[in-house]
Amino acid sequence: MTTFLQTSESVTEGHPDKLCDQISDAVLDAIFADDSTARVACETLVTRGLVFVTGEITTSSYVDIQAIVRNTVREVGYTDSDYGFDANTCGVIVSINEQSPDIKTGVDEAEEIRGEGAADAIANLGAGDQGSMVGYACRETEDALGTENVFMPLPIYLSHRLAEKLAEVRKNGSLPYLRPDGKSQVTVEYEDGKVRRIDSITLAAQHDPEVSNDTLRRDLNELVIREVVPHNLMDKETKFHINSSGRFVIGGPMADAGLTGRKILVDTYGAGYKHGGGAFSGKDPTKVDRSGAYYARYVAKNVVAAGLAERCEVQLAYVIGRREPASVSVETFGTGTIPSDRIEELVRANFDMTPGAIITQLDLMSADAGRRPRYRRVAAYGHFGRNHINRTDGTHIEVPWERTDKADNLRKEAGLPDEQDS
C-alpha cells in the first residue's frame, strides 16, 4: 500500500484577491442583465482605501460601476472604518476602454466561416483567445463523505466549505468578532489513491483586537471545523492550526493589495491538479479561458457520472478566432471501465466544443434572467462543485456546467448497464 498527502487551500470572500474577483463578476452580471451580447474583460485592484476598476468593455448598456463596487464591498462585510477599508469611504477609480476591434473581428466571425457565416451570431463565434483549459471530476467526495457526490477532490471541497463557514458564523452573529478576511487549508492522507484520513486543518481568521487566541481557537474548532469536517475522517493524530501566526486584526485590503484572477487554483480543483492558466472572473463567455474551462468540467463530470471512469481530466485548447478546438484530450488515470480511446470517441460524439455551442448549451449568455448564471455567486468558494446551499445567504446555487444530463446517454452508448441495474 502506498500513502501520500495532498493539500489545498481556499479563502473567504473578504480576502483581497477574492474581493476583486467578486467586483469584476458583479460588473459583468450588471452589464449582462441589460446587454447579453456585451464583451467584458473587467479587472479590479484593491489596496488601502482604494478600488481601481479597469479593462476592456464593449456594451450598449450603462451601469454605475462605482455603485456596484460599493455594494459588493458592503455585502462582503467591509462596513466599518475600524477594518481599515469600508464601502462608504473607499475611493473608486474607473478606467475602462472598449475591446480591441482587431479581436472583435476574429471573435464575431470564426476564421473557418469568415464571410459566409450563418445568421445565428452565437454559432459564428470564434474563440476569444488562445490557450488551454482543463476540467476534472472524480468520485472522491461521494466515497469520503457518504453524501451526494459533488465530483470534486476532497481537499479543495472541504477547504471551500470551511472558508464558507467562516463567513456564515460571522454574518449570522454566532462569532460577531470575526472580520471578513480569512483562509482555510486541508491536508488529506490517501492510501492507494483512496481518502484515508484528514492529516491537518488550517484556519486563519481576521478578528477584532480584543479577542484572545484561546477564545478564537476554541470557537473556530467547535463552530467551524467540527460542523464541516466529518468526524470519522479526523483522529487523534489530526493536527489543527488556527491563527498560528497569532494576532490577525489587520487584514483585507488594509494589509495586502488584491487583484482579479490571482486565486486560480482556489477557483478550480486545488493543488495536485492541472490548470490551463487563464483566470475566470470578469470575463464574458466568449473568452474560452472561462467558458472552455466550464465546459471541460461539464464533460469530465458527465464521464464520471456515467460510470465510464472513477477520475477524468479533460483538456481543451483553442486558437483565437477559430471555432474548432485545436486539441481535445481525455485522461482517466487507469480508472476507465471501457478503453480510453472509446471514451474519447464518445466525448467527441456527444459534446460540441465550439465556443458558440458551449455558450448555447450552458446558457452562458442567455437574455433570460431566470436561466442566465449569476457569475458573482461563484466568484468565491470555487466555480465547481457548487450545486449546494450557499451558507452565507441560505440560497441554492445551481450552475449549468455542473449538470450531468449527458451521463445516461454516455452510459447507454458505452454499453454499460443502467445504474439501477448495476
Side-chain angles (χ1 to χ4, degrees):
M1 293 185 291
T2 59
T3 62
F4 64 93
L5 300 177
Q6 189 173 105
T7 302
S8 289
E9 70 158 349
S10 183
V11 297
T12 66
E13 61 205 62
H15 185 279
D17 294 329
K18 270 291 142 221
L19 180 61
C20 290
D21 287 342
Q22 290 169 94
I23 291 170
S24 292
D25 272 339
V27 171
L28 173 64
D29 284 344
I31 291 171
F32 263 30
D34 187 52
D35 179 9
S36 63
T37 63
R39 299 291 168 77
V40 181
C42 181
E43 309 287 348
T44 304
L45 176 149
V46 297
T47 186
R48 295 188 182 194
L50 179 65
V51 180
F52 188 91
V53 181
T54 186
E56 296 76 45
I57 298 176
T58 301
T59 179
S60 60
S61 69
Y62 169 79
V63 297
D64 187 343
I65 292 179
Q66 182 160 147
I68 292 168
V69 168
R70 296 191 189 282
N71 287 338
T72 304
V73 173
R74 187 175 297 111
E75 289 170 8
V76 166
Y78 287 108
T79 57
D80 191 328
S81 59
D82 286 346
Y83 298 171
F85 187 86
D86 78 274
N88 295 320
T89 62
C90 66
V92 179
I93 298 175
V94 179
S95 179
I96 300 291
N97 296 305
E98 289 192 347
Q99 184 184 58
S100 161
D102 294 343
I103 295 175
K104 184 179 187 302
T105 298
V107 175
D108 284 349
E109 195 169 48
E111 183 181 48
E112 298 99 316
I113 58 169
R114 202 157 295 158
E116 53 185 59
D120 184 351
I122 298 296
N124 293 345
L125 289 174
D129 203 350
Q130 69 177 45
S132 176
M133 299 84 214
V134 180
Y136 180 81
C138 62
R139 291 197 172 273
E140 199 167 289
T141 44
E142 178 184 49
D143 295 340
L145 303 180
T147 58
E148 181 183 358
N149 194 9
V150 293
F151 297 89
M152 289 290 286
L154 188 64
I156 190 69
Y157 180 76
L158 288 179
S159 293
H160 284 324
R161 302 292 77 79
L162 287 167
E164 197 176 27
K165 190 68 172 179
L166 281 175
E168 179 191 3
V169 296
R170 168 175 61 89
K171 289 183 170 182
N172 68 17
S174 298
L175 298 179
Y177 58 75
L178 292 183
R179 294 181 174 184
D181 198 358
K183 286 187 172 185
S184 61
Q185 184 170 282
V186 175
T187 299
V188 173
E189 181 180 315
Y190 293 79
E191 186 173 86
D192 287 345
K194 301 290 185 181
V195 172
R196 183 178 178 223
R197 56 184 289 276
I198 303 296
D199 183 74
S200 68
I201 296 171
T202 301
L203 290 179
Q206 187 188 13
H207 57 86
D208 289 345
E210 65 272 11
V211 178
S212 70
N213 278 341
D214 287 343
T215 297
L216 184 78
R217 289 167 180 165
R218 181 199 67 222
D219 289 349
L220 294 190
N221 186 46
E222 292 179 1
L223 298 181
V224 177
I225 294 174
R226 300 291 172 178
E227 290 294 316
V228 171
V229 182
H231 295 190
N232 64 301
L233 293 179
M234 298 184 288
D235 56 32
K236 63 181 180 180
E237 302 299 325
T238 300
K239 298 174 283 292
F240 301 94
H241 308 291
I242 301 176
N243 280 31
S244 55
S245 67
R247 182 181 170 94
F248 184 10
V249 173
I250 301 172
M254 181 68 177
D256 291 296
L259 289 169
T260 299
R262 281 209 300 201
K263 287 289 180 282
I264 57 176
L265 290 180
V266 170
D267 285 342
T268 53
Y269 309 101
Y273 302 90
K274 294 177 184 175
H275 190 289
F280 302 156
S281 289
K283 297 178 181 178
D284 76 77
T286 67
K287 280 75 171 174
V288 286
D289 281 347
R290 182 169 217 155
S291 56
Y294 287 175
Y295 202 70
R297 161 67 175 176
Y298 175 60
V299 175
K301 187 173 181 181
N302 274 274
V303 167
V304 175
L308 305 188
E310 290 290 308
R311 300 168 58 202
C312 182
E313 175 191 270
V314 175
Q315 292 192 47
L316 308 178
Y318 291 88
V319 175
I320 188 169
R322 292 187 61 84
R323 290 198 306 176
E324 295 295 334
S327 67
V328 178
S329 173
V330 181
E331 172 62 66
T332 58
F333 309 97
T335 68
T337 56
I338 61 175
S340 296
D341 57 351
R342 177 57 177 152
I343 295 177
E344 187 164 323
E345 183 181 286
L346 289 170
V347 165
R348 290 180 178 272
N350 284 273
F351 297 92
D352 186 341
M353 302 174 193
T354 59
I358 291 172
I359 289 168
T360 299
Q361 291 174 67
L362 300 184
D363 294 326
L364 298 181
M365 291 173 64
S366 175
D368 180 350
R371 296 166 60 202
R372 184 176 59 248
R374 293 173 57 194
Y375 292 111
R376 191 203 148 185
R377 298 195 70 197
V378 293
Y381 313 118
H383 291 245
F384 307 123
R386 294 305 302 273
N387 286 356
H388 72 291
I389 300 297
N390 183 2
R391 292 182 184 274
T392 60
D393 61 15
T395 59
H396 187 262
I397 294 177
E398 185 171 355
V399 291
W401 53 89
E402 291 296 314
R403 296 193 301 240
T404 55
D405 52 340
K406 300 270 192 180
D408 287 344
N409 195 59
L410 287 172
R411 188 183 302 114
K412 180 180 178 181
E413 292 189 17
L416 299 178
D418 291 341
E419 285 193 333
Q420 59 266 31
D421 298 331
S422 60

